Amino acid sequence: MSNSSQSGTDHPSRVLVADDNGDILKAIRLLFKSEGIACDAVESPEEALNTLRKNEYDLVLIDLNYNRDTTSGLEGTQLVKDIRKFDAHLPIEVMTAWASVEIAVDCMRLGAHDFVQKPWEDNRLLSIVHTQIQFGRIVRRSERLEAENKMLKSDESVEFIARSPAMASALEILEQVAPSDASVLITGENGVGKGVYAKVLH
């Protein structure tokens, strides 16, 4: 697979991996490094949540079990729930042994986006990671645009009154530019109405 970690975006991908097995963390970090993906690694759900609160990630890859001799998957299930409490759209991918596929499916019902079985196949893992990173960025971009549109629509009732010849000319320019895709730079001193003009333009 080619090194395409940015997936058409303007900043490198960053992933958080949670697993209690140091060898697994090392293997995944080396694999992701070969793809140009920055990878932080933690060994417990508590560390994962603390790290997520301090940093921004494009994806979280988590194991289902952390205590030795534990195979219930409850730790991973709870971690998915906890992540979703403070980030509704961060892509979550779970890692599971063959015996806990049903638990992995349950995690997907709770908000995980996909799962990979151990031992994983490198190309499949990378394919899932790249796809989910790209999907997550699209969702976040859509959220930002929606928020901006709501802000603009909330001021649709703004009444633009212009009596001076200079402002009348500015309104004529606005009417000509508004229907186009041209970029517009509005300059002027503070308090002259640049914000109102921009909202009317939108």
Side-chain angles (χ1 to χ4, degrees):
M1 180 173 290
S2 62
N3 190 329
S4 56
S5 63
Q6 294 191 25
S7 303
T9 61
D10 57 358
H11 61 89
S13 302
R14 190 178 184 187
V15 173
L16 176 65
V17 182
D19 196 297
D20 64 329
N21 188 316
D23 291 335
I24 287 178
L25 293 177
K26 182 178 180 179
I28 290 177
R29 293 182 75 168
L30 288 173
L31 177 63
F32 286 177
K33 183 178 180 180
S34 70
E35 289 285 301
I37 300 174
C39 178
D40 293 337
V42 296
E43 297 184 357
S44 71
E46 293 76 20
E47 286 183 277
L49 292 172
N50 289 334
T51 304
L52 283 171
R53 293 187 179 100
K54 297 175 184 177
N55 305 285
E56 291 188 7
Y57 293 94
D58 294 291
L59 177 141
V60 183
L61 177 61
I62 65 171
D63 190 24
L64 290 180
N65 300 294
Y66 294 85
N67 291 318
R68 187 169 297 179
D69 300 326
T70 298
T71 59
S72 67
L74 294 178
E75 293 167 301
T77 301
Q78 185 61 49
L79 181 53
V80 171
K81 293 179 181 178
D82 291 337
I83 293 172
R84 280 289 167 259
K85 287 179 182 178
F86 69 90
D87 194 322
H89 301 294
L90 176 65
I92 303 173
E93 182 179 342
V94 298
M95 295 184 290
T96 175
W98 65 271
S100 54
V101 171
E102 288 186 8
I103 301 172
V105 173
D106 286 339
C107 285
M108 292 178 67
R109 294 193 186 101
L110 294 170
H113 289 190
D114 210 331
F115 71 90
V116 61
Q117 289 181 249
K118 296 178 181 179
W120 63 84
E121 200 276 320
D122 285 353
N123 286 336
R124 169 170 164 71
L125 175 57
L126 290 173
S127 177
I128 292 174
V129 167
H130 282 302
T131 298
Q132 293 302 330
I133 287 175
Q134 186 175 30
F135 174 76
R137 288 181 173 179
I138 290 172
V139 170
R140 291 185 186 279
R141 193 177 305 121
S142 297
E143 284 184 323
R144 287 195 296 269
L145 290 174
E146 183 178 353
E148 291 172 2
N149 287 334
K150 284 183 178 179
M151 180 186 70
L152 293 171
K153 288 179 180 179
S154 67
D155 290 314
E156 281 182 346
S157 60
V158 171
E159 185 177 1
F160 200 103
I161 300 174
R163 293 188 177 91
S164 71
M167 288 308 300
S169 175
L171 281 176
E172 290 180 7
I173 295 173
L174 184 149
E175 291 175 356
Q176 295 173 9
V177 174
S180 74
D181 294 326
S183 297
V184 178
L185 174 63
I186 303 173
T187 61
E189 297 178 0
N190 290 337
V192 298
K194 297 190 299 296
V196 175
Y197 192 87
K199 289 170 183 176
V200 174
L201 175 62
H202 279 282

